[in-house]
């Protein structure tokens, strides 16, 4: 129903206006939707990028005719269309799918072949991935022969090959390498030092790392030749008329057995050579020097031969050869071309000029030699008890000059030959009946030595032994001018002396910085109360080559005390002054009062040519073990270990007062201050550097004019040997109430040499050179 007050025209007009507004609204809404990105006219985003990868992606090596599987992965592969495969450079593909393929290497290749395998996306042909494949020829050993090796000579050769996939493994499929050679499985190197001649037939195999692995073999031969035949003996020991002679010629190289003959000249009358062994034996019957040529032939085919010109000097028998009769221990220190050396040993003398056996232990820069047999030697002793001694061993021939005491119990000796070795030592007759005696009780010891850096070390100490073990003890060491202080000996072992040489071993456990926790020594028993010893630890640069002696302590009940030092004692001291690497030798007297005071101390010293004479006083301490410290005003503190009352070893320096004179000393009671009288043996001891002079000889002392005379054998640096040097000596000051005197020694045809001496007893005195021009000297001990 229309309202009564509205006409038809008015209604139409309102409807029209309504439609117009609706159209505008719809238009604006559509525009807003279009602007917002909605509506049928919008554009879709681009598809994600496609990438292709191949596995394995790294370069691959395979042998010819082998196969390798590869797979391809495509990212964002629309429609999962996969890849197509291609190969360039050689080989074929099989088993291809859209994601996998197998590469088939060519059946043969002449050299390494590089192949490229490519996977390309089907959806996008611009997308691909490639991998390089190296096809190698099959492995082959190309070595066709191997150079000959030589016994005793280092050998190295590398087996050669081609082809194959590295790395390779070498092995021996059949046969055995010559003794001394080995094959490196990784490198194919055959190396080593062959030990015996012969020919070895072998099949070598090399295996590569292909999948599957492929091997190749080759039959080869290694021939080891015998070393060139030579005669290694350079000299033969002297002989003595009427004394059994033992010498010999040694050959090396070639093929044993050897045959020895004399082709030029002749051996001394009474001697013959063993054609099979080269030993020269017999009893010389005439004094002469015989020159001859030794010829040796081996068993090679064809045979090798060698010649060597040699000589033997036969000396007249010494009128006192009977003095040296029995078993003797020796201790020796010196220097060879490489550095310091120390030796201890034992030899048997027959009283008629022959050495019939023995044993040596030696430590030096070139190595440690233990338990070396003395195979022979000779000696002769003249009317003045001076003589020569030759010892033969596998280490070579050792020639010494010596002076023997009137009882044949002791001798001083020096090295005396054309070798580069120089030094001096002591020989003592061994009490063989005590070799079976177990070492037990308290012992004091002194030792000294050098390491490979020319650092000198000295030590003294005491230890207690029982039932083959060291139960306790202590030592003090001076190492290159620094004192260790008292070091505890925590234990050790002493083996029983064995064999005809009275040889045994002992080890000492003590913690010294820079040295092994255990040091080991070979010892030779002089008696159950005295041993000579030498260090036999494996060579280490910082470990000194020690040598020394071990003496049984005569300890009072309750042990040593201040009263154990009471009365005059004469000391001697040989050292190296580490402040300037020069010798320092000193002698003198101390007078302790038995209650801790040194009432008098007198010193004479030659330190690098600086002659010092002085007197002082001081004090001392003492413990029940025999260890004490002597403090003398103006002199470094000394650590002593007593052997007996007023007798013991000494080294310089304590931790409170370290010294720079590294050496070893000894002191003993002074029982006489009167002038020496009689015949004495003299010799230098402990040469403290390579330049120190070495002397051995005899001296006669008395009230005549001159009061002293004798004969010396000397060895001076670097290699001057002066035998049979006669001398006389006169006192320039009388022997005073302390037993001290100055004298001048004049060698025949030589310049006067001032010396200072101190009398110890009617049978013994000590001396040093007091010449400021002689800076490298040794200390002299003169005794009956």
């Amino acid at each position: 129903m229309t309202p009564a007050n509205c006409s038809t025209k008015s209604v139409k007009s309102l409807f029209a206006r309504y439609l117009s507004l609706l159209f505008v609204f719809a238009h604006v809404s559509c525009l807003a939707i279009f602007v917002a990105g909605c509506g049928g006219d919008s554009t879709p985003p681009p598809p994600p990028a496609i990438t292709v990868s191949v596995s394995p992606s790294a370069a691959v090596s395979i042998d010819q005719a082998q196969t390798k599987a590869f797979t391809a992965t495509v990212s964002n592969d629309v429609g999962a269309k996969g890849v197509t495969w291609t190969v360039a450079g050689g080989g074929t593909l099989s088993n291809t799918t859209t994601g996998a393929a197998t590469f088939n290497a060519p059946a043969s290749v002449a050299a390494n072949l590089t192949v490229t395998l490519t996977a390309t996306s089907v959806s996008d042909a611009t997308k691909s991935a490639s991998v390089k494949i190296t096809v190698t020829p099959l492995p082959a050993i190309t070595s066709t022969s191997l150079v000959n090796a030589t016994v005793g000579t280092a050998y190295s050769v590398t087996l050669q090959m081609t082809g194959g996939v590295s790395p390779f493994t070498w092995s021996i499929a059949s046969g055995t390498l010559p003794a001394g050679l080995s094959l490196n499985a990784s490198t194919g190197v055959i190396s080593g030092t062959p030990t015996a001649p012969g020919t070895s037939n072998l099949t070598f195999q090399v295996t590569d790392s292909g999948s599957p692995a492929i091997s190749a073999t080759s039959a080869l031969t290694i021939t080891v030749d015998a070393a060139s035949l030579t005669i290694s003996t350079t000299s033969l020991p002297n002989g003595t008329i009427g004394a059994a002679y033992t010498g010999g010629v040694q050959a090396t190289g070639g093929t044993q057995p050897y045959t020895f003959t004399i082709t030029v000249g002749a051996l001394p009358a009474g001697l013959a050579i063993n054609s099979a062994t080269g030993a020269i034996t017999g009893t010389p019957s005439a004094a002469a020097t015989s020159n001859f040529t030794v010829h040796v032939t081996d068993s090679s085919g064809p045979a090798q031969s060698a010649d060597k010109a040699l000589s033997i000097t036969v000396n007249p028998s010494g009128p006192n050869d009977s003095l040296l009769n029995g078993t003797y221990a020796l201790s020796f220190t010196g220097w060879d071309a490489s550095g310091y050396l120390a030796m201890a040993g034992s030899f048997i003398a027959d009283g008629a000029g022959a050495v019939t056996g023995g044993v040596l232990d030696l430590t030096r820069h070139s190595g440690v030699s233990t338990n070396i047999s003395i195979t022979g030697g000779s000696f002769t002793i003249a009317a003045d008890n001076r003589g020569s001694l030759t010892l033969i061993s596998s280490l070579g021939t050792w020639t010494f000059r010596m002076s023997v005491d009137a009882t044949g119990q002791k001798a001083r000796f020096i090295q005396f030959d054309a070798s580069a070795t120089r030094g001096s030592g002591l020989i003592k007759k061994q009490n063989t009946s005590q070799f079976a005696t177990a070492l037990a009780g308290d012992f004091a010891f002194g030792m000294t030595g050098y390491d490979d850096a020319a650092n000198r070390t000295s030590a003294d100490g005491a230890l207690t032994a029982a039932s083959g073990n060291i139960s306790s003890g202590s030592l003090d060491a001076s190492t290159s001018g620094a004192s260790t202080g008292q070091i505890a000996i925590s234990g050790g072992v002493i083996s029983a002396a064995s064999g005809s040489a009275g040889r045994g071993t002992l080890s000492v456990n003590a913690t010294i910085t820079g040295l092994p926790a255990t040091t080991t020594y070979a010892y030779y028993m002089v008696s159950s109360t005295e041993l000579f010893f030498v260090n036999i630890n494996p060579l280490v640069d910082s470990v000194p080559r020690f040598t020394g002696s071990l003496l049984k302590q005569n300890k009072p009940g309750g042990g040593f005390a201040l009263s154990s030092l009471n009365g005059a004692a004469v000391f001697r001291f040989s050292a190296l002054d580490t402040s300037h690497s020069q010798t320092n030798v000193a002698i003198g007297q101390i007078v302790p009062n038995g209650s801790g005071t040194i009432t008098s101390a007198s010193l004479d010293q030659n330190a690098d040519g600086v002659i010092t004479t002085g007197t002082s006083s001081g004090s001392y301490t003492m413990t029940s073990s025999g260890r004490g410290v002597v403090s003398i005003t103006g002199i470094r503190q000394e650590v002593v270990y007593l052997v007996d009352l007023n007798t013991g070893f000494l080294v310089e320096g304590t931790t409170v007062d370290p010294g720079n004179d590294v050496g070893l000393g000894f002191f003993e009671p002074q029982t006489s201050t009167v002038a020496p009288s009689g015949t004495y043996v003299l010799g230098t001891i402990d040469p403290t550097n390579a330049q120190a002079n070495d002397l051995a000889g005899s001296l006669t002392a008395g009230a005549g004019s001159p009061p002293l005379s004798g004969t010396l054998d000397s060895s001076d640096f670097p290699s001057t040997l002066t035998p049979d040097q006669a001398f006389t000596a006169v006192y320039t000051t009388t022997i005073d109430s302390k037993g001290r005197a100055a004298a001048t020694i004049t060698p025949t045809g030589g310049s006067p040499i001032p010396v200072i001496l101190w009398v110890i007893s009617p049978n013994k005195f000590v001396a040093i050179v007091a010449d400021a021009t002689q800076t490298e000297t040794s200390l002299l001990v003169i005794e009956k």
Side-chain angles (χ1 to χ4, degrees):
M1 172 177 295
T2 301
N5 58 345
C6 293
S7 63
T8 302
K9 183 177 179 179
S10 297
V11 171
K12 290 182 178 179
S13 177
L14 288 171
F15 182 74
R17 291 172 64 187
Y18 173 78
L19 289 177
S20 176
L21 290 171
L22 184 62
F23 174 79
V24 171
F25 177 77
H27 182 74
V28 171
S29 297
C30 185
L31 178 62
I33 292 172
F34 178 80
V35 171
C38 300
D41 294 333
S42 63
T43 302
I50 294 175
T51 61
V52 180
S53 61
V54 175
S55 178
S57 59
V60 173
S61 293
I62 62 175
D63 286 310
Q64 65 185 51
Q66 289 188 328
T67 61
K68 179 67 177 178
F70 293 87
T71 58
T73 302
V74 185
S75 64
N76 301 312
D77 188 6
V78 179
K81 296 179 180 180
V83 297
T84 58
W85 294 90
T86 56
V87 62
T92 61
L93 296 174
S94 62
N95 302 322
T96 56
T97 68
T98 57
T102 299
F103 172 73
N104 306 297
S108 64
V109 289
N112 285 356
L113 177 68
T114 301
V115 175
T116 302
L117 177 66
T118 303
T120 303
S121 170
V122 174
S123 298
D124 185 349
T126 66
K127 306 297 182 182
S128 64
S130 299
V131 65
K132 298 292 184 182
I133 304 171
T134 299
V135 181
T136 64
L138 296 178
I141 297 174
T142 57
S143 296
T144 58
S145 63
L146 299 174
V147 297
N148 288 4
T150 302
V151 171
T153 301
Y155 180 86
S156 180
V157 66
T158 302
L159 295 170
Q160 303 296 319
M161 65 161 295
T162 60
V165 178
S166 64
F168 306 101
T169 301
W170 291 88
S171 60
I172 297 174
S174 65
T176 303
L177 282 169
L181 299 185
S182 61
L183 173 66
N184 186 305
S186 299
T187 64
V189 173
I190 303 168
S191 62
T193 302
T195 58
T199 298
S200 298
N201 298 309
L202 306 103
T203 299
F204 292 97
Q205 177 174 290
V206 64
T207 302
D208 76 352
S209 298
S211 181
I214 295 178
S215 298
T217 60
S218 179
L220 296 169
T221 298
I222 297 179
T223 298
V224 179
D225 298 324
S228 298
L229 180 64
T230 60
I231 293 176
S232 57
T233 302
T234 58
S235 63
L236 291 167
N238 294 344
T240 303
I241 291 177
Y245 181 89
T246 302
V249 178
Q250 295 180 332
T252 60
T255 302
Q256 297 189 39
Y258 305 132
T259 301
F260 295 90
T261 56
I262 304 295
T263 56
V264 177
L267 292 171
L271 301 186
I273 188 168
N274 185 307
S275 62
T277 64
I280 299 174
T281 57
T283 302
S285 58
T289 296
S290 299
N291 300 303
F292 50 88
T293 298
V294 178
H295 180 79
V296 63
T297 304
D298 76 347
S299 300
S300 303
Q304 297 186 61
S305 64
D307 295 280
K308 175 75 76 170
L310 295 168
S311 66
I312 294 175
T313 297
V314 177
N315 298 313
S317 58
N320 289 330
D321 285 357
S322 60
L323 282 177
L324 215 58
N325 189 2
T327 306
Y328 293 82
L330 66 88
S331 178
F332 177 85
T333 59
W335 306 80
D336 63 13
S338 299
Y340 182 79
L341 67 86
M343 178 168 63
S346 171
F347 67 91
I348 302 170
D350 69 352
V355 174
T356 60
V359 182
L360 290 174
D361 285 87
L362 178 71
T363 179
R364 53 184 168 180
H365 185 84
S366 57
V368 176
S369 304
T370 61
N371 210 14
I372 303 299
S373 295
I374 296 173
T375 56
S378 62
F379 64 91
T380 181
I381 304 173
D384 65 354
N385 288 357
R386 292 185 312 109
S388 62
L389 170 67
T390 300
L391 302 177
I392 305 169
S393 75
S394 60
L395 300 177
T397 299
W398 301 80
T399 302
F400 307 103
R401 284 293 180 103
M402 64 179 175
S403 186
V404 186
D405 73 359
T407 65
Q409 296 294 308
K410 183 187 299 183
R412 299 279 176 182
F413 71 101
I414 62 173
Q415 181 88 9
F416 204 83
D417 56 29
S419 72
T421 301
R422 302 175 60 253
S424 60
L426 176 64
I427 294 170
K428 282 192 173 184
K429 194 167 188 177
Q430 295 172 276
N431 187 337
T432 58
S433 66
Q434 295 183 353
F435 286 175
T437 303
L439 292 169
D442 299 316
F443 292 83
F445 61 85
M447 60 184 180
T448 190
Y450 279 83
D451 64 20
D452 282 347
N455 296 314
R456 181 169 167 89
T457 300
S458 298
D460 59 356
L463 56 84
T464 300
S467 302
N469 294 309
I470 297 172
S471 59
S472 62
S474 70
L475 63 84
D476 286 74
S478 176
T479 59
S480 300
S483 174
T484 63
Q486 187 175 13
I487 302 292
I489 295 174
S490 58
V493 177
I494 300 181
S495 72
S498 61
S500 60
R503 180 186 185 274
T505 59
L506 65 91
S507 60
V508 177
N509 303 333
T511 303
I512 302 176
T513 302
L515 300 186
T518 299
T519 49
T520 304
Y521 307 85
Y523 76 77
Y524 290 85
M525 181 185 285
V526 177
S527 68
S528 60
T529 62
E530 182 177 10
L531 311 176
F532 292 157
F533 62 82
V534 64
N535 175 256
I536 56 172
N537 280 76
L539 290 187
V540 177
D541 284 351
S542 62
V543 179
R545 296 149 180 21
F546 283 124
T547 186
S549 61
L550 189 77
L551 300 176
K552 192 165 187 178
Q553 292 178 308
N554 184 20
K555 186 179 289 188
F560 292 108
L562 290 175
S563 59
S564 301
L565 284 177
N566 192 357
V570 173
F571 67 86
R572 59 183 184 266
F573 183 66
S574 296
L576 183 79
D577 186 341
T578 58
S579 66
H580 53 285
S581 298
Q582 300 288 343
T583 62
N584 182 356
V585 293
I587 54 178
Q589 180 200 66
I590 58 171
V591 184
N593 69 352
S595 59
T597 298
I598 304 292
T599 60
S600 174
S602 302
L603 170 75
D604 289 285
Q605 175 179 272
N606 183 338
D608 189 21
V610 177
I611 312 303
T612 302
T613 295
T615 59
S616 188
S617 60
S619 62
Y620 67 94
T621 64
M622 184 54 59
T623 63
S624 61
S625 69
R627 181 185 185 271
V629 175
V630 176
S631 303
I632 298 174
T633 303
I635 298 176
R636 299 288 190 184
Q637 288 185 328
E638 311 283 335
V639 178
V640 302
Y641 281 85
L642 296 184
V643 176
D644 204 341
L645 305 181
N646 269 19
T647 307
F649 297 98
L650 66 90
V651 295
E652 179 181 289
T654 64
T655 53
V656 173
D657 184 24
N660 54 10
D661 290 327
V662 182
L664 182 66
F666 194 79
F667 59 96
E668 53 195 303
Q670 186 179 35
T671 62
S672 173
T673 59
V674 301
S677 179
T679 300
Y680 296 79
V681 169
L682 67 86
T684 51
I685 62 171
D686 188 20
T688 55
N689 67 11
Q691 291 76 42
N693 57 320
D694 302 312
L695 302 172
S698 64
L699 178 146
T700 300
S705 181
L708 305 170
S709 62
T711 307
L712 293 173
D713 298 303
S714 67
S715 173
D716 297 320
F717 181 81
S719 58
T720 301
L721 304 177
T722 306
D724 309 320
Q725 179 69 61
F727 69 90
T728 58
V730 296
Y731 294 111
T732 54
T733 67
T734 58
I735 295 179
D736 63 20
S737 60
K738 293 182 178 181
R740 178 189 184 276
T744 298
I745 295 176
T746 304
T748 301
S751 300
I753 303 171
V755 299
I756 297 171
L757 62 89
W758 279 85
V759 176
I760 299 172
S761 71
N763 297 324
K764 189 174 187 179
F765 60 102
V766 291
I768 62 170
V769 173
D771 183 351
T773 66
Q774 296 198 28
T775 59
E776 308 292 354
T777 64
S778 296
L779 190 149
L780 272 170
V781 176
I782 305 103
E783 58 188 328
K784 290 183 177 178

